[in-house]
Structures are given as C-alpha cells and as structure tokens.
Coordinates of all heavy atoms in Angstrom, one line a residue:
M869 N 26.9 -29.4 -6.8 CA 27.0 -28.6 -8.0 C 25.6 -28.2 -8.5 O 25.4 -27.1 -9.0 CB 27.8 -29.4 -9.0 CG 28.1 -28.6 -10.3 SD 29.3 -27.3 -9.8 CE 29.5 -26.6 -11.4
K870 N 24.7 -29.2 -8.4 CA 23.3 -28.8 -8.9 C 22.6 -27.8 -8.0 O 21.8 -27.0 -8.5 CB 22.5 -30.1 -9.1 CG 22.1 -30.8 -7.8 CD 21.3 -32.0 -8.0 CE 21.0 -32.7 -6.7 NZ 20.2 -33.9 -6.9
W871 N 23.0 -27.8 -6.7 CA 22.4 -26.7 -5.9 C 22.9 -25.4 -6.2 O 22.2 -24.4 -6.1 CB 22.7 -27.1 -4.4 CG 21.9 -28.2 -3.9 CD1 22.3 -29.5 -3.7 CD2 20.5 -28.2 -3.7 NE1 21.3 -30.3 -3.3 CE2 20.1 -29.5 -3.2 CE3 19.5 -27.3 -3.7 CZ2 18.8 -29.9 -2.9 CZ3 18.2 -27.6 -3.4 CH2 17.9 -28.9 -3.0
L872 N 24.2 -25.3 -6.6 CA 24.8 -24.1 -7.0 C 24.2 -23.5 -8.3 O 23.8 -22.3 -8.4 CB 26.3 -24.2 -7.2 CG 27.1 -23.0 -7.6 CD1 27.0 -21.9 -6.4 CD2 28.6 -23.3 -7.8
A873 N 24.0 -24.4 -9.2 CA 23.3 -24.0 -10.5 C 21.9 -23.6 -10.2 O 21.4 -22.6 -10.8 CB 23.4 -25.2 -11.5
G874 N 21.2 -24.4 -9.4 CA 19.8 -24.0 -9.0 C 19.7 -22.6 -8.4 O 18.8 -21.8 -8.6
G875 N 20.6 -22.4 -7.4 CA 20.6 -21.1 -6.7 C 20.9 -20.0 -7.7 O 20.4 -18.9 -7.6
L876 N 21.9 -20.2 -8.6 CA 22.2 -19.2 -9.6 C 21.0 -18.9 -10.5 O 20.8 -17.7 -10.8 CB 23.4 -19.7 -10.4 CG 24.0 -18.7 -11.4 CD1 24.5 -17.4 -10.7 CD2 25.1 -19.3 -12.3
I877 N 20.3 -19.9 -10.9 CA 19.1 -19.7 -11.7 C 18.0 -18.9 -11.0 O 17.4 -18.0 -11.5 CB 18.5 -21.0 -12.2 CG1 19.5 -21.6 -13.2 CG2 17.1 -20.9 -12.8 CD1 19.1 -23.1 -13.7
V878 N 17.9 -19.2 -9.7 CA 16.9 -18.5 -8.9 C 17.3 -17.0 -8.7 O 16.4 -16.1 -8.9 CB 16.7 -19.2 -7.5 CG1 16.0 -18.3 -6.5 CG2 16.0 -20.5 -7.6
V879 N 18.5 -16.8 -8.5 CA 19.0 -15.4 -8.4 C 18.8 -14.6 -9.7 O 18.3 -13.5 -9.7 CB 20.5 -15.3 -7.9 CG1 21.0 -13.9 -8.0 CG2 20.6 -15.8 -6.5
I880 N 19.1 -15.3 -10.8 CA 19.0 -14.6 -12.1 C 17.5 -14.3 -12.4 O 17.2 -13.2 -12.8 CB 19.6 -15.5 -13.2 CG1 21.1 -15.5 -13.1 CG2 19.2 -15.0 -14.6 CD1 21.8 -16.5 -14.0
V881 N 16.6 -15.3 -12.1 CA 15.2 -15.0 -12.3 C 14.7 -13.9 -11.4 O 13.9 -13.1 -11.9 CB 14.4 -16.3 -12.1 CG1 12.9 -16.1 -12.1 CG2 14.8 -17.3 -13.2
F882 N 15.1 -13.9 -10.2 CA 14.7 -12.9 -9.2 C 15.1 -11.5 -9.7 O 14.3 -10.5 -9.7 CB 15.2 -13.1 -7.8 CG 14.9 -12.1 -6.8 CD1 13.6 -12.1 -6.3 CD2 15.8 -11.1 -6.5 CE1 13.3 -11.1 -5.3 CE2 15.5 -10.2 -5.5 CZ 14.2 -10.2 -5.0
V883 N 16.4 -11.3 -10.1 CA 16.9 -10.0 -10.5 C 16.2 -9.6 -11.8 O 15.8 -8.4 -12.0 CB 18.4 -10.1 -10.6 CG1 19.0 -8.8 -11.3 CG2 19.1 -10.3 -9.3
T884 N 16.1 -10.5 -12.7 CA 15.4 -10.2 -14.0 C 13.9 -9.8 -13.8 O 13.5 -8.8 -14.3 CB 15.4 -11.4 -14.9 OG1 16.8 -11.9 -15.1 CG2 14.8 -11.1 -16.3
G885 N 13.2 -10.5 -12.9 CA 11.9 -10.1 -12.5 C 11.8 -8.7 -11.9 O 10.9 -8.0 -12.1
A886 N 12.8 -8.4 -11.0 CA 12.8 -7.1 -10.4 C 13.0 -6.0 -11.4 O 12.3 -5.0 -11.3 CB 13.9 -7.1 -9.3
F887 N 13.9 -6.2 -12.3 CA 14.1 -5.2 -13.3 C 12.9 -5.1 -14.3 O 12.5 -4.0 -14.7 CB 15.4 -5.5 -14.2 CG 16.6 -5.2 -13.5 CD1 17.7 -6.1 -13.5 CD2 16.8 -4.0 -12.8 CE1 18.9 -5.8 -12.9 CE2 18.0 -3.7 -12.1 CZ 19.0 -4.6 -12.2
Y888 N 12.2 -6.2 -14.6 CA 11.0 -6.1 -15.4 C 9.9 -5.4 -14.7 O 9.2 -4.5 -15.3 CB 10.6 -7.6 -15.7 CG 9.3 -7.6 -16.5 CD1 9.4 -7.4 -17.9 CD2 8.1 -7.9 -16.0 CE1 8.2 -7.4 -18.7 CE2 6.9 -8.0 -16.7 CZ 7.0 -7.8 -18.1 OH 5.9 -7.8 -18.8
G889 N 9.8 -5.6 -13.4 CA 8.8 -4.9 -12.6 C 9.0 -3.4 -12.5 O 8.1 -2.6 -12.6
I890 N 10.3 -3.0 -12.4 CA 10.7 -1.6 -12.3 C 10.4 -1.0 -13.7 O 9.9 0.1 -13.7 CB 12.2 -1.5 -12.0 CG1 12.4 -1.9 -10.5 CG2 12.7 -0.1 -12.2 CD1 13.8 -2.0 -10.1
D891 N 10.7 -1.7 -14.8 CA 10.4 -1.2 -16.1 C 8.9 -0.9 -16.3 O 8.5 0.1 -16.8 CB 11.0 -2.1 -17.1 CG 10.9 -1.6 -18.5 OD1 11.2 -0.4 -18.7 OD2 10.5 -2.3 -19.5
K892 N 8.1 -1.9 -15.9 CA 6.7 -1.8 -16.1 C 6.1 -0.6 -15.3 O 5.2 0.1 -15.7 CB 5.9 -3.1 -15.8 CG 6.1 -4.1 -16.8 CD 5.5 -3.7 -18.1 CE 5.6 -4.7 -19.2 NZ 5.1 -4.3 -20.5
T893 N 6.6 -0.5 -14.1 CA 6.2 0.6 -13.2 C 6.5 2.0 -13.8 O 5.7 2.9 -13.8 CB 6.8 0.5 -11.8 OG1 6.4 -0.7 -11.2 CG2 6.3 1.6 -10.9
N894 N 7.7 2.1 -14.4 CA 8.1 3.3 -15.0 C 7.3 3.6 -16.3 O 6.9 4.8 -16.5 CB 9.6 3.3 -15.4 CG 10.5 3.4 -14.2 OD1 10.1 3.9 -13.2 ND2 11.7 2.9 -14.3
E895 N 6.9 2.6 -17.0 CA 6.0 2.8 -18.1 C 4.6 3.3 -17.7 O 4.1 4.2 -18.3 CB 5.8 1.5 -18.9 CG 7.0 1.1 -19.8 CD 6.7 -0.2 -20.5 OE1 5.6 -0.7 -20.5 OE2 7.7 -0.8 -21.0
K896 N 4.1 2.8 -16.6 CA 2.8 3.3 -16.1 C 2.9 4.7 -15.7 O 2.0 5.5 -15.9 CB 2.4 2.4 -14.9 CG 1.9 1.0 -15.3 CD 1.4 0.3 -14.1 CE 1.0 -1.1 -14.5 NZ 0.6 -1.9 -13.3
L897 N 4.0 5.1 -15.0 CA 4.2 6.4 -14.6 C 4.4 7.4 -15.8 O 3.9 8.5 -15.7 CB 5.4 6.6 -13.7 CG 5.3 5.9 -12.3 CD1 6.6 6.0 -11.6 CD2 4.2 6.5 -11.5
D898 N 5.0 6.9 -16.8 CA 5.1 7.8 -18.0 C 3.8 8.0 -18.8 O 3.6 9.0 -19.4 CB 6.2 7.2 -19.0 CG 7.6 7.2 -18.4 OD1 7.8 8.1 -17.5 OD2 8.5 6.5 -18.9
D899 N 2.9 7.0 -18.7 CA 1.7 7.1 -19.4 C 0.6 7.9 -18.7 O -0.4 8.2 -19.3 CB 1.1 5.6 -19.6 CG 1.9 4.8 -20.6 OD1 2.7 5.5 -21.4 OD2 1.8 3.6 -20.6
R900 N 0.9 8.3 -17.5 CA -0.1 9.1 -16.7 C -0.2 10.5 -17.4 O 0.8 11.1 -17.7 CB 0.2 9.2 -15.3 CG 0.0 8.0 -14.5 CD 0.2 8.2 -13.0 NE 1.4 8.9 -12.7 CZ 1.8 9.3 -11.6 NH1 1.1 9.0 -10.5 NH2 3.0 9.9 -11.4
P901 N -1.4 11.0 -17.5 CA -1.5 12.4 -18.0 C -1.0 13.4 -17.0 O -1.1 13.2 -15.7 CB -3.0 12.6 -18.2 CG -3.7 11.6 -17.3 CD -2.7 10.4 -17.2
I902 N -0.4 14.4 -17.4 CA 0.2 15.5 -16.6 C -0.9 16.5 -16.3 O -1.5 17.1 -17.2 CB 1.4 16.1 -17.2 CG1 2.5 15.1 -17.4 CG2 1.9 17.3 -16.3 CD1 3.7 15.6 -18.2
V903 N -1.3 16.7 -15.0 CA -2.3 17.6 -14.7 C -1.6 18.8 -14.0 O -0.9 18.7 -13.0 CB -3.3 17.0 -13.7 CG1 -4.4 18.0 -13.3 CG2 -3.9 15.8 -14.3
E904 N -1.8 20.0 -14.6 CA -1.2 21.2 -14.0 C -2.2 21.9 -13.1 O -3.4 22.0 -13.5 CB -0.8 22.1 -15.1 CG 0.4 21.5 -16.0 CD 0.8 22.4 -17.1 OE1 0.4 23.6 -17.0 OE2 1.5 22.0 -17.9
A905 N -1.7 22.4 -12.0 CA -2.6 23.1 -11.1 C -2.9 24.5 -11.7 O -2.0 25.1 -12.2 CB -1.9 23.2 -9.7
P906 N -4.1 25.0 -11.5 CA -4.4 26.3 -12.0 C -3.6 27.4 -11.2 O -3.4 27.2 -10.0 CB -5.9 26.5 -11.9 CG -6.3 25.5 -10.8 CD -5.3 24.4 -10.9
E907 N -3.3 28.5 -11.9 CA -2.6 29.5 -11.1 C -3.6 30.2 -10.2 O -4.7 30.5 -10.5 CB -2.0 30.5 -12.1 CG -0.9 29.9 -13.0 CD -0.3 31.0 -13.9 OE1 -0.5 32.2 -13.7 OE2 0.3 30.6 -14.9
K908 N -3.1 30.6 -9.0 CA -3.9 31.2 -8.0 C -3.8 32.8 -8.2 O -2.8 33.3 -8.5 CB -3.5 30.9 -6.6 CG -3.6 29.4 -6.4 CD -3.4 29.1 -4.9 CE -3.7 27.6 -4.7 NZ -4.2 27.3 -3.4
S909 N -5.0 33.4 -8.1 CA -5.0 34.8 -8.2 C -4.4 35.5 -6.9 O -4.3 34.8 -5.9 CB -6.4 35.3 -8.5 OG -7.2 35.0 -7.3
E910 N -4.2 36.8 -7.0 CA -3.6 37.5 -5.8 C -4.6 37.5 -4.6 O -4.2 37.4 -3.5 CB -3.3 38.9 -6.2 CG -2.1 39.0 -7.1 CD -1.7 40.4 -7.4 OE1 -2.1 41.3 -6.6 OE2 -1.0 40.6 -8.4
Q911 N -5.9 37.5 -4.9 CA -6.9 37.5 -3.9 C -6.9 36.1 -3.1 O -6.9 36.1 -1.9 CB -8.3 37.6 -4.4 CG -8.6 39.0 -4.9 CD -10.0 39.1 -5.6 OE1 -10.6 38.1 -5.8 NE2 -10.4 40.4 -5.8
E912 N -6.7 35.0 -3.8 CA -6.6 33.7 -3.1 C -5.3 33.6 -2.3 O -5.3 33.0 -1.3 CB -6.7 32.6 -4.2 CG -8.1 32.5 -4.8 CD -8.1 31.4 -5.9 OE1 -7.0 30.9 -6.2 OE2 -9.2 31.2 -6.5
L913 N -4.3 34.2 -2.9 CA -3.0 34.1 -2.1 C -3.0 34.9 -0.9 O -2.3 34.6 0.1 CB -1.8 34.5 -3.1 CG -1.5 33.6 -4.2 CD1 -0.5 34.2 -5.1 CD2 -1.1 32.2 -3.7
D914 N -3.7 36.0 -0.9 CA -3.7 37.0 0.2 C -4.7 36.5 1.3 O -4.6 37.0 2.4 CB -4.1 38.4 -0.3 CG -3.8 39.4 0.8 OD1 -2.9 39.2 1.5 OD2 -4.6 40.4 0.9
H915 N -5.6 35.6 1.0 CA -6.6 35.1 2.0 C -5.9 34.3 3.1 O -5.2 33.4 2.8 CB -7.6 34.2 1.3 CG -8.6 33.7 2.2 ND1 -9.5 34.5 2.9 CD2 -9.0 32.4 2.5 CE1 -10.3 33.7 3.6 NE2 -10.0 32.4 3.4
R916 N -6.1 34.7 4.3 CA -5.5 34.0 5.4 C -6.6 33.5 6.4 O -7.6 34.1 6.5 CB -4.6 35.0 6.2 CG -3.4 35.5 5.4 CD -2.5 36.3 6.3 NE -1.4 36.7 5.5 CZ -1.2 37.9 5.0 NH1 -2.2 38.8 5.0 NH2 -0.2 38.2 4.3
V917 N -6.3 32.3 6.9 CA -7.3 31.7 7.9 C -7.0 32.4 9.2 O -5.9 32.5 9.7 CB -7.0 30.2 7.9 CG1 -8.0 29.6 8.9 CG2 -7.2 29.6 6.6
E918 N -8.2 32.8 9.8 CA -8.1 33.4 11.1 C -7.8 32.3 12.2 O -8.3 31.2 12.0 CB -9.3 34.2 11.5 CG -9.5 35.4 10.5 CD -10.8 36.1 10.9 OE1 -11.5 35.7 11.9 OE2 -11.2 37.0 10.1
E919 N -7.1 32.7 13.2 CA -6.8 31.7 14.3 C -8.1 31.5 15.0 O -8.8 32.4 15.4 CB -5.8 32.3 15.2 CG -5.3 31.3 16.2 CD -4.2 31.9 17.0 OE1 -3.3 32.6 16.5 OE2 -4.1 31.7 18.2
Q920 N -8.4 30.2 15.2 CA -9.7 29.8 15.9 C -9.4 29.8 17.4 O -8.4 29.4 17.9 CB -10.1 28.4 15.5 CG -10.6 28.3 14.1 CD -11.1 26.9 13.7 OE1 -10.9 26.0 14.5 NE2 -11.7 26.8 12.6
T921 N -10.4 30.3 18.1 CA -10.4 30.2 19.6 C -11.2 29.0 20.0 O -12.1 28.5 19.3 CB -11.0 31.5 20.2 OG1 -12.3 31.6 19.7 CG2 -10.1 32.7 19.8
S922 N -10.9 28.5 21.2 CA -11.6 27.4 21.7 C -13.1 27.8 21.9 O -13.4 28.8 22.4 CB -11.0 26.8 22.9 OG -11.0 27.8 23.9
T923 N -14.0 26.9 21.5 CA -15.4 27.2 21.6 C -16.0 26.2 22.6 O -15.5 25.1 22.7 CB -16.2 27.0 20.3 OG1 -15.9 25.7 19.8 CG2 -15.7 28.1 19.3
S924 N -17.0 26.6 23.3 CA -17.7 25.7 24.2 C -18.8 24.9 23.5 O -19.2 25.3 22.5 CB -18.3 26.6 25.4 OG -19.3 27.4 24.8
P925 N -19.2 23.8 24.1 CA -20.2 23.0 23.5 C -21.5 23.7 23.3 O -22.4 23.2 22.6 CB -20.3 21.8 24.4 CG -19.0 21.7 25.2 CD -18.6 23.1 25.3
D926 N -21.7 24.8 24.1 CA -23.0 25.5 24.0 C -23.1 26.4 22.8 O -24.2 26.8 22.4 CB -23.2 26.3 25.3 CG -23.3 25.4 26.5 OD1 -23.7 24.2 26.4 OD2 -22.9 25.8 27.6
S927 N -22.0 26.8 22.2 CA -22.0 27.8 21.1 C -22.4 27.1 19.8 O -22.4 25.9 19.7 CB -20.7 28.4 21.0 OG -19.8 27.5 20.5
D928 N -22.8 27.9 18.9 CA -23.3 27.4 17.6 C -22.1 26.9 16.7 O -22.3 26.1 15.8 CB -24.0 28.5 16.8 CG -25.3 28.8 17.5 OD1 -25.9 28.0 18.2 OD2 -25.8 30.0 17.3
D929 N -20.9 27.4 17.0 CA -19.7 27.1 16.2 C -19.1 25.8 16.6 O -18.1 25.3 16.0 CB -18.7 28.2 16.3 CG -19.2 29.5 15.7 OD1 -20.1 29.4 14.8 OD2 -18.7 30.5 16.0
F930 N -19.6 25.2 17.7 CA -18.9 24.0 18.2 C -19.2 22.8 17.3 O -20.3 22.5 16.9 CB -19.5 23.7 19.6 CG -18.9 22.4 20.2 CD1 -17.5 22.4 20.7 CD2 -19.6 21.3 20.3 CE1 -17.0 21.3 21.2 CE2 -19.0 20.1 20.9 CZ -17.7 20.1 21.3
C931 N -18.2 22.0 17.1 CA -18.3 20.8 16.2 C -17.7 19.6 17.0 O -16.5 19.6 17.3 CB -17.5 21.0 14.9 SG -17.7 19.5 13.8
A932 N -18.5 18.7 17.4 CA -18.0 17.6 18.2 C -17.1 16.6 17.4 O -17.3 16.5 16.2 CB -19.2 16.8 18.8
P933 N -16.1 16.1 18.0 CA -15.2 15.2 17.3 C -16.0 13.9 16.9 O -16.9 13.5 17.5 CB -14.1 14.8 18.2 CG -14.6 15.1 19.6 CD -15.7 16.2 19.4
L934 N -15.6 13.3 15.8 CA -16.2 12.1 15.3 C -15.9 10.9 16.2 O -14.8 10.8 16.7 CB -15.7 11.8 13.9 CG -16.1 12.8 12.8 CD1 -15.5 12.4 11.5 CD2 -17.6 12.8 12.6
K935 N -16.8 10.0 16.3 CA -16.6 8.8 17.1 C -16.1 7.7 16.1 O -16.8 7.5 15.1 CB -17.8 8.3 17.8 CG -18.2 9.1 19.0 CD -19.3 8.4 19.7 CE -19.7 9.1 21.0 NZ -20.7 8.5 21.7
I936 N -15.0 7.2 16.3 CA -14.4 6.1 15.4 C -14.4 4.8 16.2 O -13.7 4.8 17.3 CB -13.0 6.5 14.9 CG1 -13.1 7.8 14.1 CG2 -12.4 5.4 14.1 CD1 -11.8 8.4 13.7
D937 N -15.0 3.8 15.7 CA -15.0 2.5 16.4 C -13.7 1.9 16.1 O -13.2 1.8 15.0 CB -16.1 1.6 15.8 CG -17.5 2.2 16.2 OD1 -17.6 2.9 17.2 OD2 -18.5 1.9 15.4
S938 N -13.1 1.4 17.2 CA -11.8 0.7 17.0 C -12.0 -0.7 16.5 O -11.0 -1.4 16.0 CB -11.0 0.7 18.3 OG -11.8 0.0 19.3
D939 N -13.2 -1.3 16.6 CA -13.5 -2.6 16.1 C -13.7 -2.6 14.6 O -14.5 -1.8 14.1 CB -14.7 -3.2 16.9 CG -14.8 -4.7 16.7 OD1 -13.8 -5.3 16.4 OD2 -15.9 -5.2 16.9
A940 N -13.1 -3.5 13.9 CA -13.3 -3.6 12.4 C -14.6 -4.3 12.1 O -15.1 -5.1 12.9 CB -12.1 -4.4 11.8
P941 N -15.2 -4.0 11.0 CA -16.4 -4.7 10.6 C -16.2 -6.2 10.4 O -15.1 -6.6 10.2 CB -16.8 -4.0 9.2 CG -15.9 -2.8 9.1 CD -14.8 -3.0 10.0
W942 N -17.3 -6.9 10.5 CA -17.2 -8.4 10.5 C -16.6 -8.9 9.2 O -15.9 -9.9 9.1 CB -18.6 -9.0 10.7 CG -19.6 -8.8 9.6 CD1 -20.4 -7.7 9.5 CD2 -19.8 -9.6 8.5 NE1 -21.2 -7.9 8.4 CE2 -20.8 -9.0 7.7 CE3 -19.2 -10.8 8.1 CZ2 -21.3 -9.6 6.6 CZ3 -19.7 -11.3 6.9 CH2 -20.7 -10.7 6.1
I943 N -16.9 -8.2 8.1 CA -16.4 -8.7 6.8 C -14.9 -8.5 6.7 O -14.2 -9.3 6.1 CB -17.1 -7.9 5.6 CG1 -16.9 -8.6 4.3 CG2 -16.8 -6.5 5.5 CD1 -17.6 -9.9 4.1
S944 N -14.4 -7.5 7.3 CA -12.9 -7.3 7.3 C -12.2 -8.3 8.2 O -11.2 -8.9 7.8 CB -12.6 -5.9 7.9 OG -13.1 -4.9 7.0
R945 N -12.9 -8.7 9.3 CA -12.3 -9.7 10.2 C -12.3 -11.1 9.4 O -11.4 -11.9 9.5 CB -13.1 -9.8 11.5 CG -12.8 -8.6 12.4 CD -13.4 -8.8 13.8 NE -14.7 -9.2 13.8 CZ -15.8 -8.5 14.1 NH1 -15.6 -7.2 14.4 NH2 -17.0 -8.9 14.1
L946 N -13.4 -11.3 8.7 CA -13.6 -12.6 8.0 C -12.5 -12.6 6.9 O -11.9 -13.7 6.7 CB -15.0 -12.7 7.3 CG -15.2 -13.9 6.5 CD1 -15.2 -15.1 7.3 CD2 -16.6 -13.7 5.7
A947 N -12.3 -11.5 6.1 CA -11.3 -11.5 5.1 C -9.9 -11.7 5.7 O -9.1 -12.4 5.1 CB -11.4 -10.2 4.3
G948 N -9.6 -11.1 6.8 CA -8.3 -11.3 7.4 C -8.1 -12.7 7.9 O -7.0 -13.3 7.7
G949 N -9.1 -13.3 8.4 CA -9.0 -14.8 8.8 C -8.8 -15.7 7.6 O -8.0 -16.6 7.7
L950 N -9.5 -15.4 6.5 CA -9.4 -16.2 5.3 C -7.9 -16.1 4.8 O -7.3 -17.0 4.3 CB -10.4 -15.8 4.3 CG -11.8 -16.3 4.5 CD1 -12.7 -15.7 3.4 CD2 -11.9 -17.8 4.5
G951 N -7.4 -14.8 4.8 CA -6.1 -14.6 4.3 C -5.0 -15.3 5.1 O -4.1 -15.9 4.6
K952 N -5.2 -15.3 6.5 CA -4.3 -16.0 7.3 C -4.4 -17.5 7.1 O -3.4 -18.2 7.1 CB -4.6 -15.7 8.8 CG -4.1 -14.4 9.2 CD -4.4 -14.1 10.7 CE -4.1 -12.7 11.0 NZ -4.4 -12.4 12.4
G953 N -5.6 -18.0 6.8 CA -5.7 -19.5 6.5 C -5.1 -19.9 5.3 O -4.4 -20.9 5.2
V954 N -5.3 -19.1 4.2 CA -4.6 -19.3 2.9 C -3.1 -19.3 3.1 O -2.4 -20.1 2.5 CB -5.1 -18.3 1.9 CG1 -4.3 -18.4 0.6 CG2 -6.6 -18.6 1.6
A955 N -2.6 -18.3 3.8 CA -1.1 -18.2 4.0 C -0.6 -19.4 4.7 O 0.4 -19.9 4.4 CB -0.8 -16.9 4.7
S956 N -1.3 -19.8 5.8 CA -0.9 -21.0 6.5 C -0.9 -22.3 5.7 O 0.0 -23.1 5.7 CB -1.7 -21.2 7.7 OG -1.7 -20.1 8.6
S957 N -1.9 -22.4 4.9 CA -2.0 -23.6 4.0 C -0.9 -23.6 2.9 O -0.3 -24.6 2.7 CB -3.4 -23.6 3.2 OG -4.4 -23.6 4.2
F958 N -0.6 -22.4 2.4 CA 0.4 -22.3 1.4 C 1.8 -22.6 2.0 O 2.6 -23.3 1.4 CB 0.5 -20.9 0.8 CG 1.5 -20.7 -0.2 CD1 1.4 -21.2 -1.5 CD2 2.7 -19.9 0.0 CE1 2.3 -21.0 -2.5 CE2 3.6 -19.8 -0.9 CZ 3.5 -20.3 -2.2
N959 N 2.0 -22.1 3.2 CA 3.3 -22.4 3.9 C 3.4 -23.9 4.2 O 4.5 -24.5 4.1 CB 3.4 -21.6 5.2 CG 3.7 -20.2 5.0 OD1 4.1 -19.8 3.9 ND2 3.3 -19.3 5.9
G960 N 2.3 -24.5 4.6 CA 2.3 -26.0 4.8 C 2.6 -26.8 3.5 O 3.4 -27.7 3.6
V961 N 2.1 -26.3 2.4 CA 2.3 -27.0 1.2 C 3.8 -26.9 0.8 O 4.5 -27.8 0.4 CB 1.4 -26.4 0.0 CG1 1.9 -26.9 -1.3 CG2 0.0 -26.9 0.3
I962 N 4.4 -25.7 1.0 CA 5.8 -25.5 0.7 C 6.7 -26.3 1.6 O 7.6 -26.9 1.1 CB 6.2 -24.0 0.9 CG1 5.4 -23.1 -0.1 CG2 7.6 -23.7 0.8 CD1 5.7 -23.4 -1.6
V963 N 6.3 -26.5 2.9 CA 7.1 -27.3 3.8 C 7.1 -28.8 3.3 O 8.1 -29.4 3.3 CB 6.6 -27.1 5.2 CG1 7.2 -28.2 6.1 CG2 7.0 -25.8 5.7
V964 N 5.9 -29.3 3.0 CA 5.7 -30.6 2.6 C 6.5 -30.9 1.3 O 7.2 -31.9 1.1 CB 4.2 -31.0 2.4 CG1 4.1 -32.3 1.7 CG2 3.5 -31.0 3.8
L965 N 6.4 -30.0 0.3 CA 7.1 -30.1 -0.9 C 8.6 -30.1 -0.7 O 9.3 -30.9 -1.4 CB 6.7 -29.1 -2.0 CG 5.3 -29.2 -2.5 CD1 4.9 -28.1 -3.5 CD2 5.1 -30.6 -3.3
S966 N 9.1 -29.2 0.1 CA 10.5 -29.2 0.4 C 11.0 -30.5 1.0 O 12.1 -31.0 0.8 CB 10.9 -28.0 1.2 OG 10.4 -28.1 2.5
E967 N 10.2 -31.1 1.9 CA 10.5 -32.4 2.5 C 10.6 -33.5 1.5 O 11.5 -34.3 1.5 CB 9.6 -32.7 3.7 CG 9.7 -31.8 4.9 CD 11.0 -32.0 5.6 OE1 11.5 -33.1 5.6 OE2 11.4 -31.0 6.2
I968 N 9.6 -33.5 0.6 CA 9.6 -34.5 -0.5 C 10.9 -34.3 -1.4 O 11.5 -35.3 -1.8 CB 8.3 -34.3 -1.3 CG1 7.1 -34.8 -0.5 CG2 8.4 -35.2 -2.6 CD1 5.8 -34.5 -1.2
I969 N 11.2 -33.1 -1.7 CA 12.4 -32.8 -2.6 C 13.7 -33.3 -1.8 O 14.5 -33.9 -2.4 CB 12.5 -31.3 -3.0 CG1 11.3 -31.0 -3.9 CG2 13.8 -31.0 -3.6 CD1 11.2 -29.5 -4.2
Q970 N 13.8 -33.0 -0.5 CA 15.0 -33.4 0.2 C 15.0 -34.9 0.4 O 16.1 -35.5 0.4 CB 15.0 -32.7 1.6 CG 15.4 -31.3 1.5 CD 15.5 -30.7 2.9 OE1 14.9 -31.2 3.9 NE2 16.2 -29.6 3.0
A971 N 13.9 -35.6 0.5 CA 13.9 -37.0 0.7 C 14.3 -37.7 -0.6 O 14.8 -38.8 -0.6 CB 12.5 -37.5 1.1
G972 N 14.0 -37.1 -1.8 CA 14.4 -37.7 -3.1 C 15.8 -37.6 -3.4 O 16.2 -38.2 -4.4
E973 N 16.6 -37.0 -2.6 CA 18.1 -36.9 -2.9 C 18.8 -38.2 -2.9 O 18.9 -39.1 -2.3 CB 18.8 -36.0 -1.8 CG 19.3 -34.8 -2.5 CD 20.0 -34.0 -1.4 OE1 20.1 -34.3 -0.3 OE2 20.4 -32.9 -1.8

C-alpha cells in the first residue's frame, strides 16, 4: 500500500512540475519583445541572384571550401569526460541508495 501511495505522489509531483515548467516557458515567450521585419521595397524584391557557374581554382572568383577538423578541442573532450564521470557517480549513488532502501524493508 505504501508503494502505491509513494508512486501516486511521484506521479502527481511529476505532472505538477511539468505543468509548472510549461507555464514558466509560456511566460518567457510572452515577455519577449515583438520584432517586426522592415518592409522590403520593390527594388529589393525584384533583385534576383544570378546562377553561378563552376569556377576553376585559377580564377579570381574561386573560393576554396573551409577545412573543418573532425577532432574536438581538448577542453571539449575534458568537459565531456567530466560529465560522463559525474553521471556515472550519480547513477552509482542512486543504485546504492536504492539497495539501502530495499534492504530496510
């Protein structure tokens, strides 16, 4: 019976927290200033981009693609490792506490 009551309390707190979060998010969205885009003149609307033809690397119009390193910076790898460590520690604490709670029955 106490497990049923505990489960019911957890569900009620979860649903109440979800509704509270939705309400706070809506308040933030309502408080944002409304920014209207300026109207475009007929000259801007009539302007069309010409179709580009492929250019060779020798021409002045050639733009080489950017090189993007697939390896993350060391600080990002460090932060990711710390986050995984904290998550593992937290999960371990939860497992130990749940074992203690179950043993106390």
Side-chain angles (χ1 to χ4, degrees):
M869 188 67 178
K870 65 180 178 180
W871 288 105
L872 182 63
L876 185 62
I877 289 172
V878 167
V879 169
I880 289 171
V881 168
F882 178 78
V883 170
T884 305
F887 284 137
Y888 180 76
I890 291 170
D891 186 45
K892 286 296 180 184
T893 301
N894 287 339
E895 283 180 13
K896 287 181 183 177
L897 292 176
D898 290 341
D899 291 343
R900 287 191 308 182
I902 298 173
V903 179
E904 295 181 13
E907 293 183 20
K908 296 191 178 210
S909 65
E910 289 182 22
Q911 290 177 344
E912 292 175 357
L913 291 176
D914 194 33
H915 179 61
R916 295 187 179 97
V917 178
E918 294 179 8
E919 190 175 320
Q920 292 183 347
T921 59
S922 61
T923 56
S924 65
D926 299 333
S927 69
D928 292 336
D929 295 336
F930 179 73
C931 183
L934 295 174
K935 286 188 176 181
I936 299 175
D937 294 333
S938 61
D939 194 23
W942 68 271
I943 192 73
S944 297
R945 291 191 308 258
L946 177 68
L950 288 175
K952 287 180 183 177
V954 169
S956 298
S957 301
F958 182 74
N959 289 338
V961 168
I962 296 297
V963 168
V964 169
L965 288 177
S966 68
E967 291 295 327
I968 291 171
I969 292 170
Q970 283 183 341
E973 242 182 4

